[in-house]
């Protein structure tokens, strides 16, 4: 039985496919808005979006569905990657589009999603809130290697961090203020 892809997320993804995104900031804000919507639907406060680097069109959207789907690896990045691979009919996105695909995440990826990003074959990773912002409200991001960004760059993945950090961090803070479940706190 597959974890169900939430209807609200599918609707949001469909609507965003018709939108025009003119720069990184607008793409990131879609991921941040998705993180906020996720809270409203009992999900974790994280969102992600994958775009075609040549056309700037949305390919797939993701939200943290760990709790609503009872799935420990259903982080926003993994959901977006799953959706993008299913939509493209490929297990590696590197050859997709004229210039490959890029992954926007509302928060710096955890140890699992760093690996997921690498295996997905996206050629660009952009994140909003930083690792310390997620840890501040209690999420465990796992044992990340301090040189993880350099490792991705060495594998031809461009990495940009801290874009729209304040907006992304505000969603994390709201989740914490509302006593949202920190499901992997130890
Ligand atoms: Zn993750």
């Amino acid at each position: 039985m597959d974890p169900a892809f939430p209807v609200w997320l599918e609707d949001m993804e469909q609507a965003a496919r018709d939108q025009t995104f003119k720069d990184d900031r607008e793409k990131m804000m879609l991921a941040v808005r998705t993180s906020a919507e996720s809270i409203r639907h009992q999900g974790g406060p994280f969102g992600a979006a994958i775009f075609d680097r040549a056309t700037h069109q949305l390919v797939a959207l993701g939200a943290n569905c760990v709790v609503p789907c009872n799935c420990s690896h259903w982080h926003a990045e993994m959901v977006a990657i799953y959706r993008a691979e299913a939509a493209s009919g490929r297990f590696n996105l590197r050859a997709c589009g004229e210039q490959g695909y890029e992954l926007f995440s509302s928060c710096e990826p955890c140890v699992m999603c760093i690996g997921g990003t690498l295996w997905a074959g996206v050629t660009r990773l952009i994140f909003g809130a930083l690792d310390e912002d997620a840890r501040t409200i209690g999420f465990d991001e796992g044992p990340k290697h301090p040189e993880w960004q350099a490792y991705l760059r060495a594998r031809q993945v461009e990495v940009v961090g801290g874009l729209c950090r304040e907006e992304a961090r505000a969603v994390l803070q709201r989740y914490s203020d509302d006593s949202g479940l920190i499901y992997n706190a130890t």
Side-chain angles (χ1 to χ4, degrees), residues 10 21 41 44 49-50 66 81 92 119 125 163 183-184:
E10 193 157 12
F21 298 87
H41 293 87
I50 293 179
V66 169
I81 290 167
N92 188 307
W119 304 143
L125 167 67
L163 180 67
Y183 52 79
N184 65 358

Side-chain angles (χ1 to χ4, degrees), residues 1 3 29 31 43 59 76 80 105 108 116 118-120 123 137 140 142 158 162-163 168 181 183 186:
M1 186 175 70
M29 285 310 297
V59 175
S105 178
E108 186 172 328
L118 192 56
W119 304 143
T123 55
I137 66 165
D140 184 354
E158 182 184 339
L163 180 67
L181 180 64
Y183 52 79
T186 53

Side-chain angles (χ1 to χ4, degrees), residues 75 77 110 112-113:
H75 289 192
E77 299 95 322
C110 73
M112 171 181 71
C113 293

